[in-house]
Amino acid sequence: MQVVTDHVDARLAELARRSGVATSYVGWDSLEHTVSDQTLRSVLTALGVAVGTDEEIERSIAESEVAPWRDFLPPVTVTTEGAGDVFWVHVPHGNPLDVHITTESGVQRRPHQVDHWWEPVEVDGVLTGRASFTVPTDLEPGYHEIAATDPAAGRTETTPLIVTPRHLTTADDLTGDQRWGLALQLYSVRSARSWGVGDFADLAELAASTASTYGADFIQVNPLHAAEPVPPVENSPYLPTTRRFVNPLYIAVVDIPEVADLPKRHRKLIDRLAKGFVADNVSTKKIKRNKAFRAKLTALELIHEVPRRAAREASYRAFRRREGDGLLDFATWCALVEEFGSDSPKWQGKLRDPAYVARQRRRLATRIEFYTWLQWICDEQLAAAQKAARLAGMSIGIIADLAVGVGRDSADVWMLGDVLATGATVGAPPDGFNQQGQNWNQPPWHPKKLAAAGYAPYRDMLRTVLRHAGGLRVDHILGLFRLWWIPDGGSAADGTYVRYDHDALIGILALEAQRAGAVVIGEDLGVFEPTVQDTLRDRGILGCSILWFEHGPYAPIPPERYRELCLTAVTTHDLPPTVGYLAGDHITLRAELGLLTESEDEDRAREERDRDAVLAMAIERGLLAPDTPLTDKHTINALYQLIAASPSVLLSVALVDAVGERRIQNQPGTDADQYPNWCIPLADDERRPVLVEDLPANARFASLVAALEAVGVGGESAGA
């Protein structure tokens, strides 16, 4: 293997390795790249590790050795059921110990003490011993607690013990069959009754109609995470303000029960607001999120004032109790943003002072209650959409999407504090599709701080996202193993990987999915270590395969060699719809925007070579006539028939492919001044709008489904 070298200080590199920071990595070019001293220093500083001088580096190395011995109990213990893992307790050498486990159901258990000798260590002048205990192998998956008492010191502490499933069983029922579903951007799919953007009612109708008409088993949507509480709002669903709560932009206003009790003048106002979107619903120009959200907030303010009937009020109060302080904090942040704006200097001062925030919380109580209510409405309508999907025959229903992170000025940054690191953002190193790398401008989880919080922010987020979903796609699941950190002020290529406790993160993901009865799909595309896909498979988590990315050194990989525990698709939202991809639209756009690191001709030649190899495979199998035009629907159908030859349990059909849309939804590495990312409404091959009501009779959609049925996918067996 060739190595791209750079000078690295040996002691700095040692400290980096101890801190989980990579000093080198293998890139998409198969070369090993050495990380610069400057990057290591910046990333270590973002982790809170002192590296200013050689003396500080030595002290930090020494501290890394003694720090675990300072903890009476570990901040959290995450294990796998039946593993019998060991946890440690530290006490002054020779002191007695009493240790017990209280299970989630309240039963007390005694862990077995391991006869293992550790040489005592002097910690801050105290000779400290280490006692080792094993987690009982018959402890069920769940959230338990370890308690330890040192009678001599009069000290008792507790710490979380999280036992995770060895294998997520929700995917087991999928094996031996192949199901298909739609992948779509919800905001882009409107109906005649929408308010310029697709909403939860449209999602319910989409699910019901595609299940009953075409036999689809799931609807895979973009992240529905909350954006800013008032316009202007972020266009990208992958740059939310929180991943735990939901974007009220998707509320179907007239479906709220209290609308029926509105005074006539208010109902007429809402009717007028709705009529203002008749033209927007059939426009094929940019989605107007801000216009839609302003109108919806006006209507929602009126509906919120309507007294709720007893059963509805009881449901609302139950929702508030269930969501607890997290919901209150988020609603408070929303009210504060509405009051002070998102760019106020107070966010770095007074709005981080608990006493000041408490006063504002009392003053803004009415607004906080409004933002709490919005989340309840979102929760109700998401539940209704999933219910509609299942009643229509979908075996999975809605597959939610979990973004990688949140924006830097977001609610989560304000609420979660140092659990999110400062001084760095996350992204991806240069690769074949983004040759300058990507900076997603999102603060990363701080590995140690997240563990110190008992992973509570992570598991609360998962629990909420999974509540009304039959599945969850985890964007860039590679980030649960290692994440590309980019120091502030550096380019995407100036980063390095920071390692996470993937056993803990994957395990908790499996635990929450098991409890929700949901399948999990890990988007495992990009550069990753060889063990990643094995780990996902062993834990019962599906991977992802994209036709264009399944390519060996000399030829495309035959679909029969794809993974079984996998969601396979022809394209993804970061590529053009298949018609556009075949025509090379992405190369043209990247060249126009200056995103290529080689000549356009070289890039196009390589892409066309790989594209033609895939088409040749379809021709050889008799799925495609040699003279079929690239943009013809039969070419698209043949490519979906090709991936249907895989053993993958799930096939994802992009709705844009089903109706002939060609425009790129998102061009990574660009901003709104360069390209209208996440603002492209659904249209067909002639740039005519496609509404939810149009899909059951859409000839191109029916043709694609018939092509899949011809090779044994769907049909009478759909949903079985």
Side-chain angles (χ1 to χ4, degrees), residues 75-87:
V76 64
T77 297
V78 184
T79 184
T80 305
E81 61 177 327
D85 285 341
V86 173
F87 64 90

PDB file of all heavy atoms in Angstrom, residues 75-87:
ATOM      1  N   PRO A  75     -18.859   5.663  34.155  1.00  0.00           N
ATOM      2  CA  PRO A  75     -20.025   6.530  33.911  1.00  0.00           C
ATOM      3  C   PRO A  75     -21.214   5.765  33.334  1.00  0.00           C
ATOM      4  O   PRO A  75     -22.366   6.144  33.556  1.00  0.00           O
ATOM      5  CB  PRO A  75     -19.491   7.577  32.935  1.00  0.00           C
ATOM      6  CG  PRO A  75     -18.254   6.985  32.344  1.00  0.00           C
ATOM      7  CD  PRO A  75     -17.674   6.104  33.394  1.00  0.00           C
ATOM      8  N   VAL A  76     -20.961   4.704  32.599  1.00  0.00           N
ATOM      9  CA  VAL A  76     -22.008   3.857  32.037  1.00  0.00           C
ATOM     10  C   VAL A  76     -21.367   2.536  31.647  1.00  0.00           C
ATOM     11  O   VAL A  76     -20.176   2.486  31.308  1.00  0.00           O
ATOM     12  CB  VAL A  76     -22.675   4.530  30.804  1.00  0.00           C
ATOM     13  CG1 VAL A  76     -21.667   4.697  29.668  1.00  0.00           C
ATOM     14  CG2 VAL A  76     -23.891   3.751  30.312  1.00  0.00           C
ATOM     15  N   THR A  77     -22.139   1.471  31.740  1.00  0.00           N
ATOM     16  CA  THR A  77     -21.689   0.168  31.246  1.00  0.00           C
ATOM     17  C   THR A  77     -22.698  -0.305  30.208  1.00  0.00           C
ATOM     18  O   THR A  77     -23.891  -0.433  30.507  1.00  0.00           O
ATOM     19  CB  THR A  77     -21.588  -0.866  32.378  1.00  0.00           C
ATOM     20  OG1 THR A  77     -20.600  -0.431  33.320  1.00  0.00           O
ATOM     21  CG2 THR A  77     -21.196  -2.234  31.842  1.00  0.00           C
ATOM     22  N   VAL A  78     -22.236  -0.508  28.984  1.00  0.00           N
ATOM     23  CA  VAL A  78     -23.093  -1.017  27.910  1.00  0.00           C
ATOM     24  C   VAL A  78     -22.548  -2.375  27.503  1.00  0.00           C
ATOM     25  O   VAL A  78     -21.363  -2.510  27.182  1.00  0.00           O
ATOM     26  CB  VAL A  78     -23.125  -0.071  26.700  1.00  0.00           C
ATOM     27  CG1 VAL A  78     -24.102  -0.590  25.645  1.00  0.00           C
ATOM     28  CG2 VAL A  78     -23.520   1.339  27.128  1.00  0.00           C
ATOM     29  N   THR A  79     -23.394  -3.370  27.518  1.00  0.00           N
ATOM     30  CA  THR A  79     -22.973  -4.727  27.210  1.00  0.00           C
ATOM     31  C   THR A  79     -24.003  -5.392  26.310  1.00  0.00           C
ATOM     32  O   THR A  79     -25.077  -4.835  26.055  1.00  0.00           O
ATOM     33  CB  THR A  79     -22.781  -5.538  28.506  1.00  0.00           C
ATOM     34  OG1 THR A  79     -22.274  -6.835  28.199  1.00  0.00           O
ATOM     35  CG2 THR A  79     -24.095  -5.684  29.257  1.00  0.00           C
ATOM     36  N   THR A  80     -23.679  -6.567  25.833  1.00  0.00           N
ATOM     37  CA  THR A  80     -24.579  -7.350  24.985  1.00  0.00           C
ATOM     38  C   THR A  80     -25.111  -8.521  25.795  1.00  0.00           C
ATOM     39  O   THR A  80     -24.372  -9.124  26.592  1.00  0.00           O
ATOM     40  CB  THR A  80     -23.839  -7.873  23.741  1.00  0.00           C
ATOM     41  OG1 THR A  80     -23.251  -6.766  23.060  1.00  0.00           O
ATOM     42  CG2 THR A  80     -24.777  -8.596  22.801  1.00  0.00           C
ATOM     43  N   GLU A  81     -26.378  -8.844  25.612  1.00  0.00           N
ATOM     44  CA  GLU A  81     -26.972  -9.911  26.410  1.00  0.00           C
ATOM     45  C   GLU A  81     -26.156 -11.197  26.285  1.00  0.00           C
ATOM     46  O   GLU A  81     -25.722 -11.586  25.201  1.00  0.00           O
ATOM     47  CB  GLU A  81     -28.413 -10.160  25.968  1.00  0.00           C
ATOM     48  CG  GLU A  81     -28.586 -10.589  24.525  1.00  0.00           C
ATOM     49  CD  GLU A  81     -30.035 -10.893  24.162  1.00  0.00           C
ATOM     50  OE1 GLU A  81     -30.776 -11.379  25.044  1.00  0.00           O
ATOM     51  OE2 GLU A  81     -30.409 -10.646  23.005  1.00  0.00           O
ATOM     52  N   GLY A  82     -25.915 -11.814  27.427  1.00  0.00           N
ATOM     53  CA  GLY A  82     -25.199 -13.087  27.468  1.00  0.00           C
ATOM     54  C   GLY A  82     -23.700 -12.974  27.381  1.00  0.00           C
ATOM     55  O   GLY A  82     -22.997 -13.981  27.458  1.00  0.00           O
ATOM     56  N   ALA A  83     -23.167 -11.756  27.249  1.00  0.00           N
ATOM     57  CA  ALA A  83     -21.725 -11.606  27.041  1.00  0.00           C
ATOM     58  C   ALA A  83     -20.918 -11.799  28.316  1.00  0.00           C
ATOM     59  O   ALA A  83     -19.746 -12.169  28.275  1.00  0.00           O
ATOM     60  CB  ALA A  83     -21.425 -10.235  26.446  1.00  0.00           C
ATOM     61  N   GLY A  84     -21.528 -11.526  29.469  1.00  0.00           N
ATOM     62  CA  GLY A  84     -20.798 -11.656  30.722  1.00  0.00           C
ATOM     63  C   GLY A  84     -19.645 -10.687  30.836  1.00  0.00           C
ATOM     64  O   GLY A  84     -18.589 -11.012  31.393  1.00  0.00           O
ATOM     65  N   ASP A  85     -19.832  -9.472  30.315  1.00  0.00           N
ATOM     66  CA  ASP A  85     -18.760  -8.474  30.338  1.00  0.00           C
ATOM     67  C   ASP A  85     -18.434  -8.039  31.764  1.00  0.00           C
ATOM     68  O   ASP A  85     -19.248  -8.156  32.683  1.00  0.00           O
ATOM     69  CB  ASP A  85     -19.155  -7.256  29.511  1.00  0.00           C
ATOM     70  CG  ASP A  85     -19.082  -7.522  28.014  1.00  0.00           C
ATOM     71  OD1 ASP A  85     -18.400  -8.479  27.626  1.00  0.00           O
ATOM     72  OD2 ASP A  85     -19.712  -6.779  27.246  1.00  0.00           O
ATOM     73  N   VAL A  86     -17.227  -7.508  31.913  1.00  0.00           N
ATOM     74  CA  VAL A  86     -16.721  -7.092  33.217  1.00  0.00           C
ATOM     75  C   VAL A  86     -16.842  -5.579  33.372  1.00  0.00           C
ATOM     76  O   VAL A  86     -16.606  -4.834  32.429  1.00  0.00           O
ATOM     77  CB  VAL A  86     -15.242  -7.528  33.380  1.00  0.00           C
ATOM     78  CG1 VAL A  86     -14.634  -6.952  34.655  1.00  0.00           C
ATOM     79  CG2 VAL A  86     -15.133  -9.052  33.368  1.00  0.00           C
ATOM     80  N   PHE A  87     -17.241  -5.136  34.569  1.00  0.00           N
ATOM     81  CA  PHE A  87     -17.156  -3.715  34.910  1.00  0.00           C
ATOM     82  C   PHE A  87     -16.318  -3.578  36.177  1.00  0.00           C
ATOM     83  O   PHE A  87     -16.177  -4.513  36.960  1.00  0.00           O
ATOM     84  CB  PHE A  87     -18.542  -3.081  35.080  1.00  0.00           C
ATOM     85  CG  PHE A  87     -19.366  -3.628  36.220  1.00  0.00           C
ATOM     86  CD1 PHE A  87     -19.291  -3.063  37.489  1.00  0.00           C
ATOM     87  CD2 PHE A  87     -20.235  -4.703  36.029  1.00  0.00           C
ATOM     88  CE1 PHE A  87     -20.053  -3.547  38.542  1.00  0.00           C
ATOM     89  CE2 PHE A  87     -21.002  -5.204  37.075  1.00  0.00           C
ATOM     90  CZ  PHE A  87     -20.914  -4.624  38.333  1.00  0.00           C
TER      91      PHE A  87
END
